[in-house]
Amino acid sequence: MPLVTGVDSSTQSCKVVVRDAETGALVRQGRAPHPDGTEVDPRAWWDALLAAVDAAGGLADVAAVSVAGQQHGMVCLDEAGEVVRPALLWNDTRSADAARDLVEEAGGDGTGRRFWAGATGSVPVASFTATKLRWLARHEPANADRVAAVCLPHDWLTWRLAGAPGLAALRTDRGDASGTGYWSPATGEYRLDLLERAFGRRLRVPAMLGPAEPAGVLDPEVLGGTGPTGVLLGPGTGDNAAAALGVGAGPGDVVVSIGTSGTVFAVADTPAADETGAVAGFADATGRYLPLVCTLNAARVLDAAASLLRVGLDELAELALAAPAGADGLVMVPYLEGERTPNRPLATGSVHGLTLHNATAGHLARAAVEGMLCALADGLDALIAQGARADRVVLVGGGARSAAVRRIAPQVFGCPVVVPPPGEYVADGAARQAAWIALGGAAPPEWPFAETREYAADPVPAVRARYAEARDRTLDRAGG
């Protein structure tokens, strides 16, 4: 019964799970917080990893460890392997102008967007690593001059677990590299010419590993000399690719994650290249592809509706389920924080179709749930337009706990919806990758979900048709 460890180094915290490699059974777990902010000294991640490992009972009995991490973060190292400056995270938007410039420099009238989509599968936005490198070169030239290598958060943590044995030992995987803006999922190769275009010169980048190729072995000294020997290190991956592994998603599955923001991503057999920028053409952690759409407004739409109606989330769900599908024509467009997909950063939310008949708490609750799901369904449509298949939706995240969301989702998405039990899916995906490394084989081990629930209902196309009528009728933020 070999044990394996999966690590989720997210924006807010570090989670560590120890699982049985063959069955996936959870043995123990631990966590530790990360500091707030959009730039963070990577050493804070390392300290949190050590604390979370300690809280999880250590690594003395594990056969392999894999790290999944927040995507896009820019970790710059000098020739000695020292961190040059705090890492700029995915949510640091100071590189928005750099993203725009990189697209415009490649050509106007859509030419630049087509160029980047064809080259890397994605149109650069402020979250991508390449845009942060451009920002660094422009705004901190002294720091830029010191940079010898650039890597991602999970790359750096894996390297540290190996004892940080020189820049040549940096390793990465295709899932995380596909969010840099200088690696092509279609060809499986780095585009160092694009890195040079962004930064002004070429840098050392981590060597690319296959999905089940070890990154090295754990250095016992990094755990204070008390660590085990011979523990394999997996290649690791980005958080979304790890989540797909964690829920067991395969071709035909679309994962809809309803958290603070919303993500819709599919495991696909062909790469995406969406010149509109709505779909990011990422790779997954198994050798396939992971086209992804991100929305800014997800579970907080439910929070806002509950606050407006002065009820709890459970009562909001009861109200929504008591109202008819389509809320008798009442529609909520849920752009409460602006929106990323579609790209309307100044938009506000709106309610349409209000009448004396539907001016009730139940109708508004229903409109809030349907509006949030319709916005995510727009993302699903964008994935399908890029060639993804949607046989079923795997619904995860805090919003999936809502009974109304679970029951209304198949009416809106038009396909069956499965809801796995709540869990640390990113850490679980990293653990499943570690099990693949430890056990070998052509594919990661199958880990069953004992409590997965399936929800099915007849589609109600009128809900999305009515939402489409209202979707573009919004006001910009006052003073925006």
Side-chain angles (χ1 to χ4, degrees), residues 76-249:
C76 292
L77 305 176
D78 65 15
E79 287 287 358
E82 295 297 321
V83 174
V84 171
R85 72 171 319 283
L88 296 183
L89 306 188
W90 64 273
N91 55 353
D92 192 296
T93 59
R94 71 185 81 177
S95 56
D97 288 345
R100 185 194 63 242
D101 291 347
L102 285 170
V103 173
E104 290 180 353
E105 289 165 12
D109 298 325
T111 301
R113 302 175 76 84
R114 287 192 293 274
F115 167 80
W116 282 98
T120 68
S122 303
V123 178
V125 292
S127 57
F128 281 32
T129 322
T131 72
K132 301 178 189 305
L133 287 169
R134 168 62 68 89
W135 180 91
L136 181 66
R138 282 182 173 176
H139 296 275
E140 296 182 357
N143 280 333
D145 287 344
R146 292 178 53 206
V147 178
V150 61
C151 62
L152 299 163
H154 109 258
D155 307 337
W156 186 80
L157 288 169
T158 302
W159 182 69
R160 286 294 308 268
L161 286 169
L167 298 181
L170 286 166
R171 301 288 185 266
T172 194
D173 94 301
R174 58 198 300 279
D176 216 0
S178 61
T180 60
Y182 45 83
W183 187 82
S184 169
T187 66
E189 301 290 339
Y190 276 111
R191 290 291 306 266
L192 297 181
D193 59 314
L194 300 182
L195 190 157
E196 182 175 9
R197 180 183 295 211
F199 190 64
R201 61 185 172 90
R202 299 196 178 193
L203 299 171
R204 182 186 291 274
V205 293
M208 182 63 59
L209 298 177
E213 186 177 354
V217 294
L218 177 70
D219 181 355
E221 295 301 317
V222 302
L223 301 178
T226 61
T229 59
V231 176
L232 295 173
L233 296 174
T237 193
D239 51 5
N240 291 301
L245 262 183
V247 300

Side-chain angles (χ1 to χ4, degrees), residues 260 297-306 316 332 334-336 367-369 371-372:
T260 302
N297 298 280
R300 287 184 294 186
V301 176
L302 306 180
D303 294 336
L316 182 78
M332 178 183 288
Y335 299 161
L336 307 186
V369 173
M372 180 195 71

Side-chain angles (χ1 to χ4, degrees), residues 381-411:
D381 286 348
L383 294 185
I384 292 171
Q386 287 295 309
R389 203 172 84 234
D391 297 336
R392 66 173 187 170
V393 164
V394 182
L395 196 62
V396 299
R401 297 189 180 99
S402 165
V405 169
R406 295 195 298 265
R407 296 191 180 280
I408 297 171
Q411 296 179 338

